[in-house]
Amino acid sequence: MKHTKVIDLLSSTNTLHEVKAKGWVRTFRNNQFLALNDGSTIHNIQCVVDFEKFPAELLKRINTGAAVSLTGTLVESKGSGQNVEIQVNELVILGDSDPEKYPIQPKKHSLEFLRENAHLRIRTNVFGAIMRVRSTLSFAVHKYFQDNGFFYFNAPIVTGSDAEGAGEMLHVTSLPFDNIPKNEDGSINFSEDFFGKATNLTVSGQLEAETYAMALGQVYTFGPTFRAENSHTSRHLAEFWMIEPEVAFINLDENMDLAEDFIKYIIKYTLEKCADDLKFLDQRLTDEEKNKPQAERSEMSLLQKLNFVLENNFKRVSYTEAIDILRNSKPNKNKKFKYLIDEWGADLQSEHERFLVEKHFKCPVILFDYPADIKAFYMRMNEDGKTVRAMDILFPGIGEIVGGSQREERYDKLVERMQKMGIDEKELWWYLDTRKYGSAPHSGFGLGFERMVLFVTGMTNIRDVIPFPRTPQNAEF
Ligand code: ATP
Ligand code: MN
């Protein structure tokens, strides 16, 4: 007999027939009530084992974490909390679990402890919920773009250009570390390396995606991205997933419309598909908040926050307006910010972003028209000659979730910016070609996928929303 997934058993109305289930034991109470989970849903199915019918040696092996296969009769449940349960007739242990040693005991574990056991933490309710939500969100990303006429573009992971992230890149090499070939001046001779030049892991697929947008019209990337930034924050990973749409013939305003529509769509889709998991995560967050002092507690629950984002327009504010607000803000006047804002041109730190979103506007904010000096070379220069058509989307609890811009499509202006910022034109010859042959206005943005998963799950540390996090000094598993 084929086994049935727990999610299907639990929604079955067709009782009093024989079923087979397979999964892992969550708990086994009173030598009788076995809570079985197979990952298909956050809910367990209760399996009632009549201890008089089974040998004691077998009952002893029904331990938390063990894998079992069982058959029995699906019956209406007399207990509360579930509609149906299984009256077990046969039970086979597929894989034992030592109750003394199994790290995931049926009790509350700290997230730090679970991070050290990232290979087993997925067997907890909270990580099961997070990773099902993550999976659904990724599907929603593809669905949105595919339904709207975008093409999925796979940017290279190994890149030969370091124009964007000088100093923040991880090298890719096959040179022998104990005998590195050198040039006469002592520098490394990369012509002997695997690719015949210095190569790195990509920090963004944007430049390559732009070449595709200039032919396919609307493209998006969704792939792994690497940054060797040594920041031990709860929002940065060394390996993360980025989504980068790039669209021909749209300007910055249309780019903002796209980003807002896209973000709302994937949240809405996930709210519908992951109702049970999100209900669980909502309760988890509410419980967590109870441990905080009143003043720090969030005014909204997780589900309220998600619905709030769907129902309200993102507030669009220019960098210049934002600087005025920050300059006159209480924490600036009382010197509560670590980095005080006094002049136009200052780069915004996450404390400023969070003030704008969480205290001032109390909703997602899109900041646009940043000073050229603090933004990348490829962003389109405004008429004022000092700001560029950049936009960052800031989210409550997260800070920056999207960074994007209208791209500089004018060849001369682009070269001028590159020279000013010391970027080698020769190295980006292929990028400059897009501005030589049929250049056109175009725009795009990058959304950090894990920051989105953080927001939707209500988790606070980015290490908890990717299966096996890579951070400075850590690549275990
Ligand atoms: P931040 O200032 O937060 O470091 P950034 O300005 O370096 O971000 P971009 O280069 O614009 O970010 O990248 C686009 C998006 O990718 C960001 O808005 C963010 O959501 C995400 N992102 C950037 N760096 C990381 C990282 N190290 N880990 C996870 N996500 C990241
Ligand atoms: Mn960064």
Side-chain angles (χ1 to χ4, degrees):
M1 185 165 56
K2 212 174 156 305
H3 73 279
T4 308
K5 279 183 292 174
V6 170
I7 191 169
D8 297 328
L9 291 170
L10 288 174
S11 61
S12 174
T13 45
N14 176 16
T15 51
L16 297 179
H17 69 290
E18 189 82 349
V19 294
K20 182 179 234 172
K22 295 184 184 188
W24 293 269
V25 177
R26 281 294 172 85
T27 53
F28 187 43
R29 282 186 299 118
N30 303 342
N31 238 356
Q32 191 175 11
F33 300 109
L34 189 170
L36 190 74
N37 189 284
D38 70 352
S40 60
T41 158
I42 189 143
H43 302 296
N44 305 324
I45 189 159
Q46 171 154 286
C47 307
V48 184
V49 183
D50 183 347
F51 48 82
E52 287 178 354
K53 285 197 198 144
F54 291 87
E57 300 88 80
L58 182 68
L59 294 173
K60 256 195 283 174
R61 292 170 61 200
I62 306 178
N63 293 314
T64 299
V68 302
S69 170
L70 56 82
T71 54
T73 315
L74 192 69
V75 297
E76 270 181 50
S77 177
K78 284 174 221 91
S80 63
Q82 69 265 328
N83 294 327
V84 292
E85 60 188 29
I86 300 175
Q87 290 285 348
V88 180
N89 300 327
E90 263 176 53
L91 187 146
V92 180
I93 306 275
L94 299 175
D96 283 289
S97 171
D98 184 337
E100 306 291 310
K101 294 192 181 135
Y102 183 55
I104 312 296
Q105 295 294 321
K107 61 161 195 174
K108 196 171 176 341
H109 295 283
S110 72
L111 293 169
E112 290 77 12
F113 171 82
L114 291 172
R115 249 168 251 151
E116 288 161 17
N117 290 281
H119 60 308
L120 294 173
R121 68 178 178 176
I122 188 60
R123 299 188 188 190
T124 62
N125 280 335
V126 61
F127 282 92
I130 294 166
M131 295 306 164
R132 279 186 297 267
V133 167
R134 184 183 164 109
S135 168
T136 302
L137 272 171
S138 5
F139 183 74
V141 168
H142 285 292
K143 186 157 167 52
Y144 177 85
F145 288 124
Q146 297 286 333
D147 287 353
N148 286 288
F150 283 69
F151 298 102
Y152 182 33
F153 161 73
N154 301 114
I157 289 171
V158 174
T159 155
S161 81
D162 66 353
E164 261 224 270
E168 277 194 8
M169 302 184 96
L170 290 159
H171 302 298
V172 175
T173 182
S174 63
L175 290 177
F177 288 126
D178 51 1
N179 185 20
I180 293 181
K182 296 273 174 71
N183 298 312
E184 271 168 23
D185 64 2
S187 61
I188 296 169
N189 180 4
F190 283 107
S191 68
E192 287 189 29
D193 202 348
F194 189 86
F195 296 104
K197 64 186 293 196
T199 48
N200 299 294
L201 292 175
T202 183
V203 293
S204 158
Q206 179 202 318
L207 302 188
E208 290 88 353
E210 281 187 54
T211 70
Y212 266 57
M214 287 295 106
L216 297 179
Q218 310 190 106
V219 299
Y220 69 103
T221 72
F222 186 4
T225 311
F226 305 85
R227 299 206 181 163
E229 46 198 346
N230 225 334
S231 39
H232 291 265
T233 76
S234 55
R235 301 173 306 116
H236 288 91
L237 290 162
E239 177 184 288
F240 64 101
W241 287 64
M242 185 139 68
I243 296 146
E244 295 177 280
E246 193 65 40
V247 189
F249 315 121
I250 69 166
N251 63 25
L252 190 70
D253 291 318
E254 294 163 302
N255 197 27
M256 294 185 206
D257 294 341
L258 173 69
E260 185 168 342
D261 190 53
F262 164 66
I263 289 174
K264 287 179 172 171
Y265 175 86
I266 62 175
I267 293 176
K268 186 160 184 277
Y269 185 89
T270 307
L271 270 169
E272 283 162 15
K273 300 281 172 186
C274 295
D276 287 358
D277 288 318
L278 289 174
K279 197 173 151 210
F280 172 85
L281 291 167
D282 180 84
Q283 187 58 49
R284 188 200 87 89
L285 194 63
T286 304
D287 295 343
E288 290 284 299
E289 295 271 311
K290 282 185 194 139
N291 299 327
K292 287 188 188 168
Q294 192 82 42
E296 286 172 31
R297 282 184 208 165
S298 166
E299 286 161 26
M300 281 187 252
S301 78
L302 176 61
L303 290 171
Q304 282 168 336
K305 264 193 276 190
L306 297 177
N307 282 302
F308 180 85
V309 169
L310 296 187
E311 287 155 15
N312 291 280
N313 292 333
F314 297 4
K315 181 84 188 157
R316 301 182 186 190
V317 187
S318 75
Y319 167 90
T320 304
E321 287 171 72
I323 285 290
D324 280 342
I325 293 167
L326 289 166
R327 215 185 338 225
N328 296 315
S329 69
K330 261 196 195 159
N332 203 55
K333 289 188 167 151
N334 300 341
K335 302 198 161 40
K336 285 272 153 49
F337 283 142
K338 192 163 162 228
Y339 298 90
L340 295 176
I341 300 280
D342 50 24
E343 286 198 35
W344 189 93
D347 203 355
L348 300 185
Q349 305 295 326
S350 81
E351 57 180 347
H352 309 127
E353 298 177 343
R354 294 187 64 163
F355 173 83
L356 290 170
V357 174
E358 290 160 27
K359 297 280 182 323
H360 191 83
F361 291 111
K362 296 184 194 266
C363 76
V365 173
I366 310 184
L367 288 186
F368 61 92
D369 285 352
Y370 280 77
D373 291 346
I374 57 171
K375 288 292 183 186
F377 72 93
Y378 49 71
M379 301 187 178
R380 194 178 200 278
M381 187 61 78
N382 277 312
E383 298 306 313
D384 62 12
K386 56 176 195 171
T387 60
V388 288
R389 300 248 75 193
M391 63 129 177
D392 279 5
I393 303 185
L394 314 177
F395 257 49
I398 312 279
E400 181 190 326
I401 194 160
V402 162
S405 63
Q406 180 169 341
R407 319 306 187 189
E408 182 58 84
E409 84 283 12
R410 298 162 294 185
Y411 181 85
D412 293 342
K413 299 254 184 216
L414 184 60
V415 170
E416 195 186 312
R417 267 319 282 299
M418 288 171 76
Q419 285 170 347
K420 211 171 153 204
M421 297 179 90
I423 290 160
D424 192 355
E425 289 158 61
K426 275 191 235 90
E427 210 186 309
L428 286 183
W429 63 273
W430 51 274
Y431 185 71
L432 286 167
D433 267 3
T434 59
R435 273 64 171 176
K436 276 192 205 157
Y437 310 115
S439 187
H442 61 289
S443 303
F445 61 84
L447 169 85
F449 185 58
E450 284 72 22
R451 294 206 185 157
M452 194 68 221
V453 184
L454 270 182
F455 182 72
V456 174
T457 58
M459 300 301 291
T460 46
N461 192 316
I462 201 162
R463 293 166 184 78
D464 296 330
V465 297
I466 189 164
F468 297 105
R470 269 75 180 102
T471 49
Q473 298 296 311
N474 171 40
E476 191 67 50
F477 307 104

